[in-house]
Each structure stands twice: as C-alpha cells, then as structure tokens.
Amino acid sequence: MNMFEPKSEIILSRKEFEQRLNLLIEQGRQRKIVLNADAGFDIKHLTRIRALPNQRIDFATVNELARTTVNALVKLNSLVNDINNQERVDE
C-alpha cells in the first residue's frame, strides 16, 4: 500500500480542471452558487484566473489556492446535490 495515496478525488487532466472551473463559473452566472467575500472567504485568487485567446485557461494565472478552491467547491456542490436527491427519494 502506498502511504501517499490521495484521500479524495484528484483531477486527472487539464481538461477535467477546465470543466470543473467552467462549471463553477456557470453556476455563479446562474446564481446557483454565490461566493460572499464579506464572509471572510478570499476570492482574489479566483478573479486572477485568465483565459487565453482560444478561451482555454491560462494555467500561469492559476495558483494552488485557486485549484484547491475549485476542487472544494465542486465537491461541496456534489454533496449538496446528493443530499437534495436523497431527500427527493425519501419523500
């Protein structure tokens, strides 16, 4: 057994990270997810992410905090969806 196995989901590719970030952006546009800077959550690292002319993410503008935030928000969103789906099944 490898003692350094990840404890959670990992992003396997650039494409998967871009999909997750684009999902997060779209949910923000639809007001399905709202990040409140007044709650002590610093989103500056997310606002620094830029797109290349071909609309791909410029990974030079993505720092580790942005990666972690995107992954955490996607995971949190997944958990909320699971809870909502379970409540519908229980009804």
Side-chain angles (χ1 to χ4, degrees), residues 6-62:
K7 301 275 188 225
S8 63
E9 293 179 28
I10 59 171
I11 294 179
L12 301 176
S13 67
R14 172 191 180 111
K15 180 180 177 182
E16 188 176 350
F17 180 79
E18 286 179 321
Q19 288 173 337
R20 287 180 174 203
L21 182 58
N22 288 326
L23 175 67
L24 182 63
I25 290 167
E26 186 59 30
Q27 288 175 337
R29 286 184 182 141
Q30 294 176 1
R31 299 287 186 207
K32 290 183 178 179
I33 187 168
V34 177
L35 303 176
N36 187 347
D38 293 336
F41 184 76
D42 185 7
I43 60 170
K44 291 177 189 160
H45 55 277
L46 293 176
T47 61
R48 293 184 182 130
I49 297 174
R50 299 289 176 242
L52 296 168
N54 65 358
Q55 298 307 308
R56 301 284 306 266
I57 294 173
D58 180 359
F59 272 86
T61 64
V62 180

Side-chain angles (χ1 to χ4, degrees), residues 37-87:
D38 293 336
F41 184 76
D42 185 7
I43 60 170
K44 291 177 189 160
H45 55 277
L46 293 176
T47 61
R48 293 184 182 130
I49 297 174
R50 299 289 176 242
L52 296 168
N54 65 358
Q55 298 307 308
R56 301 284 306 266
I57 294 173
D58 180 359
F59 272 86
T61 64
V62 180
N63 66 16
E64 190 59 33
L65 192 53
R67 293 176 210 273
T68 303
T69 302
V70 169
N71 290 333
L73 290 172
V74 168
K75 183 65 176 175
L76 179 61
N77 188 40
S78 174
L79 292 172
V80 169
N81 287 338
D82 290 348
I83 290 169
N84 290 338
N85 290 336
Q86 185 59 41
E87 288 175 354

